[in-house]
Amino acid sequence: MPVSCGSSCGRNAFMRRPKTGDTLCKECFFLAFETEIHNTIQQEQLFRPGEKVAIAASGGKDSTVLAHVMNLLNKRYNYGLDLVLLSIDEGITGYRDDSLKTVAQNRDDYGMPLRVLSYQELYGWTMDRIMAEIGRSNNCTFCGVFRRQALDRGARLMEVDCVATGHNADDIAETVIMNILRGDTARLRRCCDIKTGSKEADTIPRVKPLKYSYEKEIVMYAHFKKLVYFSTECVFAPNAYRGHARAFLKDLEKVRPSAIMDIIHAGEQLQIKGTVKKPIRGVCGRCGFVSSQQPCKACVLLEGLNRGLPKLGIGKKSKGERMVALQEQQLREKAHLVKNDF
């Protein structure tokens, strides 16, 4: 027997929401999903009228739904925002080149200006070349660090007031788990913030409008709205450390559906002891972008690649310093031998 929609609209339900367990019809699900994001934006005061907002667009389900919903809410509630799309091309053959076609479709569908920046353009390297140097281990470290800084670079070039990313509830819960397992207290508290950076700190803020949206519901919304998105997983992703946290979270969610929100709320309430040394976020002396170390991680990784020491920025700083010292000693010895030959 058909189940009636829980919102008493008179229509039959077609789904049970993974997040709340409510039985809803398609139209009521759309409205509930969109309204929750609107409430998040309003309660957290993510935007101000007249701001220029860059949506970090990868062509995947999260950024596609974010672009669609932001465009919809901007018109429905008169936010007064100037929305643009910002994409990063990591240079992964068979993955990013195809997903950028989807981003171009989003640009045409929503009438938003699009800017694409590539690793090749910014760093002189592509992920395919980095992969050839570093191998399948630690490649996600390079991609993640370079991508985060590339978004900052793109935001500055586009002169936007903030960047909206498609991080959803599952992503944030996974990050909490990863930081706990790594004992990373600095990132553990910060990863739950819905807004990071500020103009006062001379950094372009980033916001997460989908912070409380379940991944399953994002997929359902995209599917039933018939949104065009790229669903192929990155060819390097199977080796990512995040995959283990994701598998653990999925198993946990089967037993306790509220586990995702429970982990996020726990992360939000965490208090770090005053005796724990916390890194101070500042600006890198080399590139001028936000960093909690000198030089920043992106500059260290790039230096390693250019020196022929791709593992320079992997692991402890002291290990990297020893690698540089050894290389410089070898160069001096080689130069001394060449001098003696003459």
Side-chain angles (χ1 to χ4, degrees), residues 276-294:
V276 175
K277 186 178 180 181
K278 303 181 183 70
I280 300 174
R281 290 171 70 85
V283 175
C284 174
R286 291 188 188 177
C287 65
F289 287 91
V290 64
S291 173
S292 57
Q293 66 179 55
Q294 293 293 341

Side-chain angles (χ1 to χ4, degrees), residues 56-61 63-64 86-87 95-96 99-100 102-103 147 230:
S58 65
K61 64 184 185 314
S63 64
T64 297
L86 172 59
S87 291
Y95 172 68
R96 184 56 71 209
S99 70
L100 286 175
T102 304
V103 176
R147 182 177 175 80
F230 187 75

